[in-house]
Each structure stands twice: as C-alpha cells, then as structure tokens.
Amino acid sequence: MKGFGMNPASLDWAFVDKLRKFTKMKIVLKGIEAPEDAKLAVEHGVDGVLVSNHGGRAMETGRATIEDLPEVVDAVNGRIPVFVDGGIRRGSDALKALALGATAVGIGRPYLWALTSFGQAGVERALEILTAELRLAMRQCGMPTLARINKSAVILHDSRS
Ligand SMILES: Cc1cc2nc3c(=O)[nH]c(=O)nc-3n(C[C@H](O)[C@H](O)[C@H](O)COP(=O)(O)O)c2cc1C
C-alpha cells in the first residue's frame, strides 16, 4: 500500500478490494458520480460514497453533482450512506441535496473563503449562516425536521436529455 501518489492510473476495483482487506476502518469512496460505479462500490464492500467532482476542478465539463445525486441514490438503494459535495453555497442547496436522498452534504471552498478572510471565526460564522439558512428553507417547505425532508421539496428536470 505504498507509492500510489495523487492520481494513479492503477486505481481500480481490485485496489478497492485490497484496501478493504487491508483495513477494518470505514472506507468512503469520494468522486463517485455514476450509478454503475455506485453499485460497484456497494458490491466491493465500501461503507459509503461521496458524490463529488472535486468542485469541478477535476473535470469542469461534467454534470453538477446535484444532477448525479438522484441516480447514485437510486443505485445504492439505501444500502450505504450517500454523501455529496460541490456547489453547496446556501442552506437551500443543502436542503435540495438532502431531499434528493443525500445522507449529509459537504462544502469545500465556502469554508476556505471564510478561513482566508476571517480565520476560525469566519469558518464558524459560515457554518452558522448555512445552518440558519437550512433551518429557514426547511420551515418554508413545511419540513421542520431532517426526518421530514423528502423529494417533494424539489422539481427534477432530466439532466441527461
Ligand atoms: C484548493 C482545493 C483543493 C482540492 N483538492 C482535492 C484533492 O486533493 N482531492 C479531492 O478529492 N478533492 C479535492 N478538492 C475538492 C474538495 O475536496 C471538495 O470536493 C470540493 O471543494 C467541494 O466543492 P465546493 O468547493 O464547490 O464546495 C479540492 C478543492 C479545492 C478548492
């Protein structure tokens, strides 16, 4: 398990099997965007998937992760948690992702911007703002608890057509 570098071309499902045997720790695969890969992730025994295109930094012409999410959620069918990041900028973005079946959402650049502008206090404030916005959006959709969030909060367009 050494010498894999940052983006090794040799990363394949055999590698995931090796990793699974190597550790009892939880394995969450980051960068899953396709339902086919999500199914394979379950079959290869990982504990969760993170729908991510690395903030569009890896391949900026792909779909947004919010568009990938429903297909991945369908493919996983409740067997493991599905996380998502990429473009979450407001509490309402988080609500949409949760409504589409995400177990939780992540942010990247928003906390980096807050950190570089205002340090730790900035990050804490950014999280406060996002949480307050999420609570407000939930109330406005008549979904006052996380358990009450469901698909009716969003209208889907077919992003493959
Ligand atoms: C400066 C920078 C470096 C990143 N490096 C990595 C990386 O090495 N590996 C990775 O999986 N994702 C990387 N990401 C992506 C983040 O982990 C995360 O998926 C992404 O920032 C989420 O999207 P958002 O920035 O729109 O919230 C990086 C993002 C930024 C902004």
Side-chain angles (χ1 to χ4, degrees):
M1 303 298 272
K2 58 179 180 172
F4 286 103
M6 283 294 281
N7 284 304
S10 59
L11 274 189
D12 55 14
W13 292 104
F15 173 81
V16 174
D17 291 338
K18 235 188 254 179
L19 194 62
R20 183 66 291 169
K21 284 193 189 127
F22 181 77
T23 180
K24 288 191 167 47
M25 291 173 72
K26 303 275 186 204
I27 299 173
V28 176
L29 289 188
K30 180 171 190 279
I32 298 295
E33 294 181 79
E36 295 85 356
D37 281 335
K39 275 188 188 145
L40 283 167
V42 174
E43 285 163 22
H44 287 264
V46 309
D47 300 286
V49 290
L50 170 46
V51 179
S52 177
N53 59 18
H54 316 292
R57 297 174 69 253
M59 195 175 77
E60 66 197 15
T61 55
R63 293 195 305 177
T65 50
I66 195 76
E67 295 173 302
D68 301 323
L69 180 65
E71 293 175 10
V72 171
V73 167
D74 271 0
V76 163
N77 197 20
R79 290 172 290 176
I80 53 174
V82 177
F83 307 102
V84 64
D85 74 10
I88 304 288
R89 299 288 179 268
R90 300 181 170 81
S92 54
D93 298 332
L95 173 63
K96 288 169 198 168
L98 295 169
L100 293 174
T103 309
V105 307
I107 54 169
R109 280 161 292 190
Y111 88 79
L112 291 174
W113 294 324
L115 181 70
T116 48
S117 304
F118 302 106
Q120 178 171 336
V123 177
E124 290 171 4
R125 183 69 188 123
L127 291 175
E128 270 173 21
I129 292 169
L130 279 170
T131 306
E133 287 177 352
L134 172 60
R135 286 183 199 282
L136 181 63
M138 285 166 64
R139 281 201 300 274
Q140 285 171 337
C141 287
M143 299 171 182
T145 63
L146 290 174
R148 297 261 303 265
I149 295 177
N150 64 71
K151 265 191 187 158
S152 68
V154 287
I155 297 170
L156 281 181
H157 296 283
D158 183 359
S159 61
R160 283 192 186 266
S161 59

PDB file of all heavy atoms in Angstrom, residues 39-60:
ATOM      1  N   LYS A  39     -23.054   1.209  -7.686  1.00  0.00           N
ATOM      2  CA  LYS A  39     -23.396  -0.213  -7.467  1.00  0.00           C
ATOM      3  C   LYS A  39     -22.128  -1.013  -7.186  1.00  0.00           C
ATOM      4  O   LYS A  39     -22.089  -1.857  -6.285  1.00  0.00           O
ATOM      5  CB  LYS A  39     -24.089  -0.786  -8.702  1.00  0.00           C
ATOM      6  CG  LYS A  39     -25.573  -0.523  -8.709  1.00  0.00           C
ATOM      7  CD  LYS A  39     -26.263  -1.255  -9.843  1.00  0.00           C
ATOM      8  CE  LYS A  39     -27.697  -0.790  -9.919  1.00  0.00           C
ATOM      9  NZ  LYS A  39     -28.236  -0.714 -11.261  1.00  0.00           N
ATOM     10  N   LEU A  40     -21.101  -0.761  -7.982  1.00  0.00           N
ATOM     11  CA  LEU A  40     -19.839  -1.481  -7.781  1.00  0.00           C
ATOM     12  C   LEU A  40     -19.253  -1.183  -6.405  1.00  0.00           C
ATOM     13  O   LEU A  40     -18.706  -2.066  -5.744  1.00  0.00           O
ATOM     14  CB  LEU A  40     -18.834  -1.100  -8.885  1.00  0.00           C
ATOM     15  CG  LEU A  40     -19.093  -1.764 -10.238  1.00  0.00           C
ATOM     16  CD1 LEU A  40     -18.275  -1.095 -11.338  1.00  0.00           C
ATOM     17  CD2 LEU A  40     -18.750  -3.254 -10.169  1.00  0.00           C
ATOM     18  N   ALA A  41     -19.392   0.058  -5.969  1.00  0.00           N
ATOM     19  CA  ALA A  41     -18.873   0.427  -4.638  1.00  0.00           C
ATOM     20  C   ALA A  41     -19.540  -0.426  -3.562  1.00  0.00           C
ATOM     21  O   ALA A  41     -18.874  -0.941  -2.656  1.00  0.00           O
ATOM     22  CB  ALA A  41     -19.113   1.914  -4.383  1.00  0.00           C
ATOM     23  N   VAL A  42     -20.848  -0.591  -3.669  1.00  0.00           N
ATOM     24  CA  VAL A  42     -21.564  -1.426  -2.695  1.00  0.00           C
ATOM     25  C   VAL A  42     -21.056  -2.865  -2.784  1.00  0.00           C
ATOM     26  O   VAL A  42     -20.735  -3.493  -1.766  1.00  0.00           O
ATOM     27  CB  VAL A  42     -23.090  -1.384  -2.935  1.00  0.00           C
ATOM     28  CG1 VAL A  42     -23.806  -2.360  -2.004  1.00  0.00           C
ATOM     29  CG2 VAL A  42     -23.638   0.022  -2.747  1.00  0.00           C
ATOM     30  N   GLU A  43     -20.966  -3.369  -4.014  1.00  0.00           N
ATOM     31  CA  GLU A  43     -20.524  -4.768  -4.201  1.00  0.00           C
ATOM     32  C   GLU A  43     -19.114  -5.007  -3.670  1.00  0.00           C
ATOM     33  O   GLU A  43     -18.791  -6.103  -3.229  1.00  0.00           O
ATOM     34  CB  GLU A  43     -20.565  -5.133  -5.692  1.00  0.00           C
ATOM     35  CG  GLU A  43     -21.992  -5.363  -6.189  1.00  0.00           C
ATOM     36  CD  GLU A  43     -22.097  -5.321  -7.719  1.00  0.00           C
ATOM     37  OE1 GLU A  43     -21.065  -5.526  -8.394  1.00  0.00           O
ATOM     38  OE2 GLU A  43     -23.188  -5.039  -8.214  1.00  0.00           O
ATOM     39  N   HIS A  44     -18.285  -3.976  -3.698  1.00  0.00           N
ATOM     40  CA  HIS A  44     -16.906  -4.135  -3.231  1.00  0.00           C
ATOM     41  C   HIS A  44     -16.756  -3.791  -1.749  1.00  0.00           C
ATOM     42  O   HIS A  44     -15.636  -3.672  -1.251  1.00  0.00           O
ATOM     43  CB  HIS A  44     -15.954  -3.324  -4.104  1.00  0.00           C
ATOM     44  CG  HIS A  44     -15.755  -3.949  -5.462  1.00  0.00           C
ATOM     45  ND1 HIS A  44     -14.696  -4.777  -5.775  1.00  0.00           N
ATOM     46  CD2 HIS A  44     -16.537  -3.915  -6.576  1.00  0.00           C
ATOM     47  CE1 HIS A  44     -14.806  -5.197  -7.019  1.00  0.00           C
ATOM     48  NE2 HIS A  44     -15.915  -4.691  -7.540  1.00  0.00           N
ATOM     49  N   GLY A  45     -17.885  -3.624  -1.074  1.00  0.00           N
ATOM     50  CA  GLY A  45     -17.852  -3.566   0.388  1.00  0.00           C
ATOM     51  C   GLY A  45     -17.457  -2.254   1.014  1.00  0.00           C
ATOM     52  O   GLY A  45     -17.061  -2.223   2.179  1.00  0.00           O
ATOM     53  N   VAL A  46     -17.585  -1.139   0.267  1.00  0.00           N
ATOM     54  CA  VAL A  46     -17.243   0.132   0.911  1.00  0.00           C
ATOM     55  C   VAL A  46     -18.394   0.578   1.809  1.00  0.00           C
ATOM     56  O   VAL A  46     -19.523   0.105   1.693  1.00  0.00           O
ATOM     57  CB  VAL A  46     -16.864   1.239  -0.107  1.00  0.00           C
ATOM     58  CG1 VAL A  46     -15.817   0.759  -1.080  1.00  0.00           C
ATOM     59  CG2 VAL A  46     -18.080   1.764  -0.835  1.00  0.00           C
ATOM     60  N   ASP A  47     -18.091   1.491   2.716  1.00  0.00           N
ATOM     61  CA  ASP A  47     -19.070   1.872   3.739  1.00  0.00           C
ATOM     62  C   ASP A  47     -19.891   3.094   3.362  1.00  0.00           C
ATOM     63  O   ASP A  47     -20.877   3.409   4.022  1.00  0.00           O
ATOM     64  CB  ASP A  47     -18.335   2.141   5.057  1.00  0.00           C
ATOM     65  CG  ASP A  47     -17.585   0.910   5.519  1.00  0.00           C
ATOM     66  OD1 ASP A  47     -18.246  -0.028   5.984  1.00  0.00           O
ATOM     67  OD2 ASP A  47     -16.347   0.876   5.384  1.00  0.00           O
ATOM     68  N   GLY A  48     -19.479   3.796   2.328  1.00  0.00           N
ATOM     69  CA  GLY A  48     -20.221   4.980   1.908  1.00  0.00           C
ATOM     70  C   GLY A  48     -19.621   5.526   0.628  1.00  0.00           C
ATOM     71  O   GLY A  48     -18.488   5.193   0.268  1.00  0.00           O
ATOM     72  N   VAL A  49     -20.406   6.338  -0.075  1.00  0.00           N
ATOM     73  CA  VAL A  49     -19.867   7.015  -1.264  1.00  0.00           C
ATOM     74  C   VAL A  49     -20.114   8.510  -1.131  1.00  0.00           C
ATOM     75  O   VAL A  49     -21.117   8.943  -0.546  1.00  0.00           O
ATOM     76  CB  VAL A  49     -20.496   6.504  -2.590  1.00  0.00           C
ATOM     77  CG1 VAL A  49     -20.035   5.089  -2.893  1.00  0.00           C
ATOM     78  CG2 VAL A  49     -22.012   6.596  -2.592  1.00  0.00           C
ATOM     79  N   LEU A  50     -19.190   9.267  -1.668  1.00  0.00           N
ATOM     80  CA  LEU A  50     -19.328  10.722  -1.697  1.00  0.00           C
ATOM     81  C   LEU A  50     -19.419  11.150  -3.151  1.00  0.00           C
ATOM     82  O   LEU A  50     -18.444  11.030  -3.919  1.00  0.00           O
ATOM     83  CB  LEU A  50     -18.127  11.370  -0.994  1.00  0.00           C
ATOM     84  CG  LEU A  50     -17.922  12.884  -1.092  1.00  0.00           C
ATOM     85  CD1 LEU A  50     -19.195  13.676  -0.839  1.00  0.00           C
ATOM     86  CD2 LEU A  50     -16.849  13.315  -0.103  1.00  0.00           C
ATOM     87  N   VAL A  51     -20.627  11.581  -3.543  1.00  0.00           N
ATOM     88  CA  VAL A  51     -20.824  12.089  -4.902  1.00  0.00           C
ATOM     89  C   VAL A  51     -20.073  13.414  -4.992  1.00  0.00           C
ATOM     90  O   VAL A  51     -20.416  14.377  -4.296  1.00  0.00           O
ATOM     91  CB  VAL A  51     -22.328  12.302  -5.195  1.00  0.00           C
ATOM     92  CG1 VAL A  51     -22.514  12.861  -6.608  1.00  0.00           C
ATOM     93  CG2 VAL A  51     -23.096  11.009  -5.021  1.00  0.00           C
ATOM     94  N   SER A  52     -19.045  13.440  -5.800  1.00  0.00           N
ATOM     95  CA  SER A  52     -18.192  14.630  -5.839  1.00  0.00           C
ATOM     96  C   SER A  52     -17.487  14.701  -7.185  1.00  0.00           C
ATOM     97  O   SER A  52     -17.077  13.673  -7.727  1.00  0.00           O
ATOM     98  CB  SER A  52     -17.142  14.536  -4.724  1.00  0.00           C
ATOM     99  OG  SER A  52     -16.250  15.632  -4.774  1.00  0.00           O
ATOM    100  N   ASN A  53     -17.367  15.916  -7.715  1.00  0.00           N
ATOM    101  CA  ASN A  53     -16.488  16.095  -8.880  1.00  0.00           C
ATOM    102  C   ASN A  53     -15.338  17.005  -8.481  1.00  0.00           C
ATOM    103  O   ASN A  53     -14.789  17.719  -9.298  1.00  0.00           O
ATOM    104  CB  ASN A  53     -17.259  16.613 -10.090  1.00  0.00           C
ATOM    105  CG  ASN A  53     -17.935  17.940  -9.804  1.00  0.00           C
ATOM    106  OD1 ASN A  53     -17.576  18.629  -8.855  1.00  0.00           O
ATOM    107  ND2 ASN A  53     -18.901  18.309 -10.621  1.00  0.00           N
ATOM    108  N   HIS A  54     -15.046  16.977  -7.177  1.00  0.00           N
ATOM    109  CA  HIS A  54     -13.925  17.742  -6.619  1.00  0.00           C
ATOM    110  C   HIS A  54     -14.098  19.237  -6.894  1.00  0.00           C
ATOM    111  O   HIS A  54     -13.142  19.936  -7.191  1.00  0.00           O
ATOM    112  CB  HIS A  54     -12.594  17.217  -7.157  1.00  0.00           C
ATOM    113  CG  HIS A  54     -12.534  15.727  -7.155  1.00  0.00           C
ATOM    114  ND1 HIS A  54     -12.488  14.991  -5.991  1.00  0.00           N
ATOM    115  CD2 HIS A  54     -12.592  14.817  -8.154  1.00  0.00           C
ATOM    116  CE1 HIS A  54     -12.493  13.713  -6.280  1.00  0.00           C
ATOM    117  NE2 HIS A  54     -12.567  13.574  -7.582  1.00  0.00           N
ATOM    118  N   GLY A  55     -15.357  19.695  -6.785  1.00  0.00           N
ATOM    119  CA  GLY A  55     -15.645  21.100  -7.005  1.00  0.00           C
ATOM    120  C   GLY A  55     -15.486  21.507  -8.458  1.00  0.00           C
ATOM    121  O   GLY A  55     -15.304  22.675  -8.769  1.00  0.00           O
ATOM    122  N   GLY A  56     -15.585  20.517  -9.347  1.00  0.00           N
ATOM    123  CA  GLY A  56     -15.432  20.820 -10.786  1.00  0.00           C
ATOM    124  C   GLY A  56     -13.982  21.022 -11.172  1.00  0.00           C
ATOM    125  O   GLY A  56     -13.669  21.362 -12.311  1.00  0.00           O
ATOM    126  N   ARG A  57     -13.067  20.806 -10.227  1.00  0.00           N
ATOM    127  CA  ARG A  57     -11.659  21.064 -10.514  1.00  0.00           C
ATOM    128  C   ARG A  57     -11.033  19.926 -11.312  1.00  0.00           C
ATOM    129  O   ARG A  57     -10.018  20.108 -11.966  1.00  0.00           O
ATOM    130  CB  ARG A  57     -10.892  21.276  -9.198  1.00  0.00           C
ATOM    131  CG  ARG A  57     -11.384  22.494  -8.433  1.00  0.00           C
ATOM    132  CD  ARG A  57     -10.717  22.583  -7.072  1.00  0.00           C
ATOM    133  NE  ARG A  57      -9.299  22.901  -7.172  1.00  0.00           N
ATOM    134  CZ  ARG A  57      -8.313  22.055  -6.945  1.00  0.00           C
ATOM    135  NH1 ARG A  57      -8.571  20.818  -6.593  1.00  0.00           N
ATOM    136  NH2 ARG A  57      -7.071  22.418  -7.038  1.00  0.00           N
ATOM    137  N   ALA A  58     -11.655  18.727 -11.213  1.00  0.00           N
ATOM    138  CA  ALA A  58     -11.080  17.585 -11.909  1.00  0.00           C
ATOM    139  C   ALA A  58     -11.553  17.544 -13.358  1.00  0.00           C
ATOM    140  O   ALA A  58     -10.778  17.273 -14.273  1.00  0.00           O
ATOM    141  CB  ALA A  58     -11.445  16.284 -11.191  1.00  0.00           C
ATOM    142  N   MET A  59     -12.860  17.802 -13.561  1.00  0.00           N
ATOM    143  CA  MET A  59     -13.391  17.801 -14.924  1.00  0.00           C
ATOM    144  C   MET A  59     -14.547  18.792 -14.984  1.00  0.00           C
ATOM    145  O   MET A  59     -15.661  18.492 -14.605  1.00  0.00           O
ATOM    146  CB  MET A  59     -13.877  16.408 -15.323  1.00  0.00           C
ATOM    147  CG  MET A  59     -14.086  16.296 -16.836  1.00  0.00           C
ATOM    148  SD  MET A  59     -14.525  14.660 -17.369  1.00  0.00           S
ATOM    149  CE  MET A  59     -16.246  14.615 -16.890  1.00  0.00           C
ATOM    150  N   GLU A  60     -14.245  19.975 -15.454  1.00  0.00           N
ATOM    151  CA  GLU A  60     -15.226  21.056 -15.332  1.00  0.00           C
ATOM    152  C   GLU A  60     -16.379  20.955 -16.323  1.00  0.00           C
ATOM    153  O   GLU A  60     -17.339  21.710 -16.231  1.00  0.00           O
ATOM    154  CB  GLU A  60     -14.528  22.413 -15.470  1.00  0.00           C
ATOM    155  CG  GLU A  60     -13.964  22.625 -16.853  1.00  0.00           C
ATOM    156  CD  GLU A  60     -12.931  23.738 -16.919  1.00  0.00           C
ATOM    157  OE1 GLU A  60     -12.437  24.176 -15.877  1.00  0.00           O
ATOM    158  OE2 GLU A  60     -12.629  24.159 -18.034  1.00  0.00           O
TER     159      GLU A  60
END
